[in-house]
């Protein structure tokens, strides 16, 4: 996490504050939700000390960790400007190669959440789609996060929309930019799929079979880093839905959880004890 005090200056030094923390969108959701419901993370990390450390951190947070350990653990450099907006440089490493996940890893679940990052490569897409389809057949709540406009464009916007229609997830999460790219509107909500659109400080839109509702976002006293806020929102929303809450109550819970990460670096609710100034 690179916190920049000003505009990026190319081809020269940029003084910054650098924080190192665990990340990964799906892992973030699992950790944030762990304080509210029992959670499990399914993924792939490197067979290296960093991968072991990341798994240990998730386990310590109360997450049931089921991972493959192969190759090199990935890393993402996230540059955060003074307004809290982030720009990401991902090197996904082993996380992009998830494959051949035992179906028993989803035994006993009541919900399965899939990020669009997981479908960015052919092997992980095949695995993720199979798991989500199986979870849905078992009666679990299923959800998909659109994740990234770049990922959607590279995958194919029409192809992604078709995938969502085929998977029929219970919930589709998108931010405002992703929703515009996907041209999400009322017809995309069905009796099976609820569309949830986040828009920063502007109201959150929920489109379901009953119609469209917009819930204001409570004022936030400090916004320094928006990284992980969407994952915290998804965690809060899903935990509430799995607990039987109606959508309006789920959005309120999602807002409360997302607000807790906006003053800290990365996807965490407490600031780290160390930092590095470069």
């Amino acid at each position: 996490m690179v916190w920049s005090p000003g505009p990026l200056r190319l081809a020269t030094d940029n003084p910054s504050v650098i924080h190192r923390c665990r990340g990964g969108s799906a892992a973030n959701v699992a950790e944030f939700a762990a304080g509210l419901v029992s959670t499990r993370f399914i993924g792939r990390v490197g067979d290296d000390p960093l991968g072991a450390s990341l798994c240990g951190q998730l386990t310590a947070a109360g997450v049931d960790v089921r991972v493959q350990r192969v190759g090199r653990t990935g890393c993402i450099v996230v540059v955060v400007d003074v307004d809290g907006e982030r720009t990401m440089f991902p090197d996904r490493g082993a996380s992009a190669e998830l494959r051949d996940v035992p179906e028993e890893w989803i035994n006993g679940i009541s919900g399965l959440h899939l990020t669009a990052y997981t479908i960015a490569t052919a092997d992980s897409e095949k695995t993720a789609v199979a798991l989500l389809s199986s979870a849905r057949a078992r009666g679990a709540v299923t959800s998909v996060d659109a994740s990234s406009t770049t990922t959607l464009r590279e995958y194919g916007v029409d192809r992604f929309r078709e995938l969502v229609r085929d998977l029929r997830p219970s919930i589709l999460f998108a931010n405002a930019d992703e929703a515009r790219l996907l041209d999400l509107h009322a017809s995309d909500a069905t009796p099976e799929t609820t569309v949830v659109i986040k828009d920063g400080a502007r109201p959150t839109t929920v489109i379901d079979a009953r119609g469209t509702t917009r819930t204001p976002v409570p004022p936030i006293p400090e916004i320094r880093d928006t990284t992980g806020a969407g994952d915290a929102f998804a965690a809060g929303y899903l935990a509430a839905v799995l607990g039987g809450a109606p959508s309006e109550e789920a959005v309120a819970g999602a807002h409360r959880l997302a607000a807790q990460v906006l003053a800290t670096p990365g996807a965490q609710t407490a600031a780290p004890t160390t930092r590095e100034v470069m």
Side-chain angles (χ1 to χ4, degrees):
M1 306 301 306
V2 181
W3 279 12
S4 173
L8 180 65
R9 293 173 291 185
L10 298 176
T12 187
D13 292 345
N14 287 266
S16 59
V17 176
I18 297 178
H19 305 272
R20 292 176 175 84
C21 55
R22 187 207 51 71
S25 180
N28 295 341
V29 173
E31 180 170 337
F32 284 130
L36 304 169
V37 292
S38 297
T39 62
R40 179 179 302 162
F41 171 71
I42 295 172
R44 187 177 179 108
V45 297
D47 187 15
D48 49 30
L50 181 55
S53 173
L54 297 178
C55 292
Q57 291 177 47
L58 275 182
T59 300
V63 178
D64 175 10
V65 178
R66 310 283 180 96
V67 298
Q68 300 168 347
R69 299 284 307 281
V70 182
R72 174 183 59 86
T73 297
C75 180
I76 302 177
V77 174
V78 185
V79 180
V80 184
D81 66 21
V82 291
D83 296 318
E85 189 55 81
R86 78 283 187 277
T87 301
M88 299 186 178
F89 298 83
D91 173 7
R92 297 188 60 209
S95 69
E97 301 169 356
L98 183 70
R99 61 171 68 93
D100 301 325
V101 171
E103 190 159 319
E104 56 264 29
W105 281 13
I106 64 170
N107 284 349
I109 66 169
S110 55
L112 183 67
H113 179 66
L114 169 68
T115 70
Y117 297 120
T118 317
I119 64 169
T121 58
D123 284 336
S124 60
E125 177 189 12
K126 180 180 178 181
T127 299
V129 167
L131 289 177
L132 197 81
S133 298
S134 178
R136 185 180 181 281
R138 299 180 188 201
V141 172
T142 58
S143 55
V144 174
D145 195 316
S147 298
S148 159
T149 54
T150 295
T151 298
L152 294 174
R153 288 191 178 98
E154 291 180 348
Y155 183 82
V157 172
D158 290 340
R159 182 183 172 199
F160 181 81
R161 287 176 60 89
E162 183 177 350
L163 177 66
V164 171
R165 284 194 294 268
D166 290 342
L167 290 176
R168 294 174 293 164
S170 311
I171 302 159
L172 173 62
F173 293 104
N175 65 26
D177 290 337
E178 294 152 4
R180 280 190 289 271
L181 180 63
L182 294 170
D183 192 25
L184 296 180
H185 43 76
S187 63
D188 291 288
T190 70
E192 296 175 315
T193 300
T194 295
V195 178
V196 181
I197 302 173
K198 305 156 291 179
D199 194 11
R202 289 168 289 278
T204 296
T205 300
V206 175
I207 309 170
D208 58 22
R210 300 172 302 164
T212 300
T213 60
R214 292 181 175 85
T215 304
V217 178
I220 307 297
E222 179 184 7
I223 299 177
R224 182 59 187 89
D225 188 340
T226 59
T227 310
D231 299 330
F233 179 98
Y237 188 95
L238 291 170
V241 167
L242 291 171
S247 184
E248 294 83 356
E249 185 178 327
V251 170
H255 286 162
R256 286 193 296 271
L257 190 54
Q260 297 179 35
V261 308
L262 293 172
T264 61
Q268 50 190 347
T269 56
T273 56
T274 61
R275 71 180 188 179
E276 182 175 345
V277 180
M278 302 296 288

